[in-house]
C-alpha cells in the first residue's frame, strides 16, 4: 500500500503516510471538511437551510449596527 497523499512508500512511523507532511495534509483535509459526505436526508437539508438563514440574519443585524 502506498501513501494515500503522494503514493510514495509509507514510513512505519507515519503509516499509512510516508511523512509527517502527508499526515498533516490529510488531517487538514479532515478539519476543513474536504472529506465530508453528501447527505440525502431531508432533515439535514432543513438544518442547513436554518443555519444559513440564521447566518444571514446575523450578518444583516451586524450591517444595520454599522449604519447607525
Amino acid at each position: 500500500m502506498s501513501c494515500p497523499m503522494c503514493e510514495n512508500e509509507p514510513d512505519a512511523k507515519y503509516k499509512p503516510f510516508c511523512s509527517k507532511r502527508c499526515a498533516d495534509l490529510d488531517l487538514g483535509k479532515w478539519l476543513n471538511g474536504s472529506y465530508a459526505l453528501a447527505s440525502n436526508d431531508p432533515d439535514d437539508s432543513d438544518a442547513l437551510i436554518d443555519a444559513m438563514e440564521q447566518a444571514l440574519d446575523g450578518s444583516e443585524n451586524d450591517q444595520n449596527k454599522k449604519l447607525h
Side-chain angles (χ1 to χ4, degrees):
M1 177 181 196
S2 59
C3 175
M5 298 304 292
C6 69
E7 299 184 8
N8 285 332
E9 287 296 315
D11 183 331
K13 184 176 179 181
Y14 302 105
K15 198 167 187 169
F17 305 101
C18 67
S19 65
K20 181 173 179 359
R21 178 183 177 277
C22 282
D24 288 345
L25 287 172
D26 183 71
L27 177 61
K29 286 187 173 194
W30 280 105
L31 294 176
N32 75 16
S34 293
Y35 290 142
L37 298 175
S39 172
N40 292 328
D41 185 350
D43 291 338
D44 290 342
S45 298
D46 293 341
L48 175 61
I49 291 169
D50 291 344
M52 292 174 70
E53 287 174 346
Q54 288 176 356
L56 287 173
D57 289 344
S59 67
E60 288 174 2
N61 290 337
D62 290 344
Q63 288 177 354
N64 289 336
K65 288 178 187 177
K66 291 177 185 176
L67 295 175
H68 298 291

